Amino acid sequence: MAEEKGRVCVTGAGGYVGSWLVKLLLSKGYEVHGTVRDPGDEKNAHLRKLDKASENLKLFKADLLDYSSLLAAIEGCIGVFHVASPVPSGAVPNPEVELIEPAITGTLNVLKACSEIRVKRVVVVSSVTAVLLNPSWPRDKVKDEACWSDKEYCRATKNWYHLSKTAAESEALEYGKKNMLDVVTVCPCFVFGPMLQSTTNTSSLFLIKILRDGVDVLENRLRHFVDVRDTAEALLLAYEKPEAEGRYICTSHNMRMKDLAEKLRSMYPNHNYPKNFTDAKEEQVLSSEKLQKLGWNYRSLEQTLIDSVQSYQDAGLISKD
């Protein structure tokens, strides 16, 4: 079975999305090369426990800025999923050096290695942050794949993560065109759902804070949500479907924060929810119609929230009442 599907590489295999993607690929009969910073680190132990991992998963020590380490991991693969991305912890004194350059250089290193190995297709995980910040987009128009965050606007408003994702994704698609490499990008929004990894990722932490920490004031902004398992399915579709091309927005639900808190309160009444919500500016809705036309389906928000909370309870991150 594994021989039929072939061998693929997943960068950032130990992360939140990467772990679920590795699990899905193994379940579908792929052999997987996963890149992690340290294969021996306990935080990657969950990968070795996945079904079929013992025979079909090989972990490689790799760094996005170390080309030779990426080349070694991608060697022998027919497809690559570039999931890893530099995410800063805390303030970024020098965003150009610490965030933007590594995001671009890391992505280009992966793509150059893919060109050298001659892989069939590369799926690059971008973000809706590469779509959302465009002040010239018509107010009454739903944002689709034609909408790109404005780099200069990101810079002026100091939205450095948005800038890093926008620059890296645009460079990836440009590289693919210039070098005859089949590059498809997927732009997930706020990703929720159960965790496979032992370390808590940023989007899960956001939901945990609402459930556990009793945030006093929360901005009542419109958020777009997608389940981590549906995100993995979207990435696999983008890889397997011959007709997939360009970029794909990956979002399934949108809701204001006040409504999300109320929904959680109705399901789990014993937690300490935010008391006050500040007004937020009007925000435009995103469309994942292009991805759905490729055959993508998604879970209900209720199911995602139930499975998320169960996962946090099992990990001892929130109380079980």
Side-chain angles (χ1 to χ4, degrees):
M1 181 74 173
E3 287 72 29
E4 287 173 35
K5 290 285 191 174
R7 188 181 294 133
V8 295
C9 179
V10 177
T11 69
Y16 183 40
V17 173
S19 297
W20 276 103
L21 178 59
V22 169
K23 180 180 168 73
L24 178 64
L25 289 166
L26 290 172
S27 77
K28 298 288 186 184
Y30 285 91
E31 283 184 51
V32 181
H33 283 187
T35 78
V36 292
R37 285 187 185 277
D38 179 4
D41 193 320
E42 187 57 35
K43 73 177 185 181
N44 295 315
H46 65 284
L47 293 173
R48 301 191 192 280
K49 294 173 190 165
L50 296 173
D51 280 353
K52 302 183 185 171
S54 57
E55 61 266 36
N56 285 337
L57 174 64
K58 187 175 179 184
L59 297 182
F60 288 77
K61 180 182 173 66
D63 186 306
L64 291 179
L65 302 182
D66 178 359
Y67 180 75
S68 60
S69 70
L70 292 171
L71 198 62
I74 294 169
E75 183 75 55
C77 294
I78 57 167
V80 171
F81 296 85
H82 179 36
V83 186
S85 177
V87 180
S89 52
V92 186
N94 192 341
E96 205 73 54
V97 172
E98 295 173 53
L99 188 58
I100 297 152
E101 275 309 312
I104 296 170
T105 306
T107 298
L108 289 177
N109 277 346
V110 170
L111 296 177
K112 284 170 188 167
C114 289
S115 290
E116 191 167 330
I117 304 295
R118 301 196 173 176
V119 307
K120 289 182 180 172
R121 176 171 283 176
V122 191
V123 178
V124 175
V125 179
S126 182
S127 163
V128 295
T129 58
V131 178
L132 286 167
L133 286 189
N134 187 330
S136 60
W137 190 261
R139 295 291 317 156
D140 56 349
K141 190 177 175 186
V142 171
K143 285 178 173 167
D144 58 19
E145 285 77 9
C147 186
W148 283 85
S149 288
D150 183 306
K151 290 181 202 170
E152 290 314 308
Y153 181 74
C154 290
R155 202 177 286 281
T157 52
K158 294 184 167 53
N159 280 289
W160 305 119
Y161 183 69
H162 294 62
L163 179 57
S164 74
K165 295 306 279 188
T166 306
E169 186 189 356
S170 55
E171 289 269 359
L173 290 168
E174 193 59 36
Y175 179 94
K177 280 182 198 153
K178 280 185 183 167
N179 296 277
M180 305 293 287
L181 182 67
D182 187 356
V183 177
V184 180
T185 64
V186 177
C187 302
C189 53
F190 229 69
V191 184
F192 287 153
M195 299 190 306
L196 290 174
Q197 83 288 4
S198 58
T199 51
T200 312
N201 55 293
T202 308
S203 57
S204 295
L205 199 58
F206 178 81
L207 194 54
I208 289 164
K209 277 191 158 186
I210 293 176
L211 286 157
R212 185 186 68 190
D213 292 346
V215 183
D216 282 338
V217 181
L218 201 58
E219 188 184 14
N220 191 28
R221 62 184 296 187
L222 185 71
R223 290 268 190 193
H224 297 82
F225 306 112
V226 67
D227 191 292
V228 66
R229 296 160 294 185
D230 296 333
T231 305
E233 292 278 2
L235 296 172
L236 185 57
L237 268 179
Y239 174 70
E240 286 188 338
K241 289 277 188 174
E243 66 270 30
E245 51 77 37
R247 66 199 306 232
Y248 289 88
I249 291 171
C250 181
T251 177
S252 45
H253 307 283
N254 61 79
M255 189 176 262
R256 293 211 168 267
M257 294 312 301
K258 187 175 182 181
D259 296 329
L260 178 66
E262 286 307 316
K263 181 175 261 305
L264 284 165
R265 192 196 304 276
S266 70
M267 296 162 73
Y268 305 98
N270 298 327
H271 290 276
N272 190 11
Y273 294 97
K275 317 276 188 299
N276 301 297
F277 294 87
T278 57
D279 289 337
K281 65 182 190 317
E282 281 302 309
E283 288 158 294
Q284 288 150 301
V285 174
L286 293 164
S287 169
S288 59
E289 186 182 344
K290 185 184 175 193
L291 186 57
Q292 287 169 279
K293 282 181 177 168
L294 205 59
W296 185 62
N297 298 302
Y298 52 82
R299 290 162 173 77
S300 68
L301 182 58
E302 288 78 9
Q303 191 60 56
T304 297
L305 292 174
I306 288 166
D307 293 348
S308 299
V309 170
Q310 183 67 54
S311 165
Y312 308 152
Q313 288 174 340
D314 291 346
L317 295 166
I318 59 172
S319 60
K320 294 202 174 190
D321 55 4

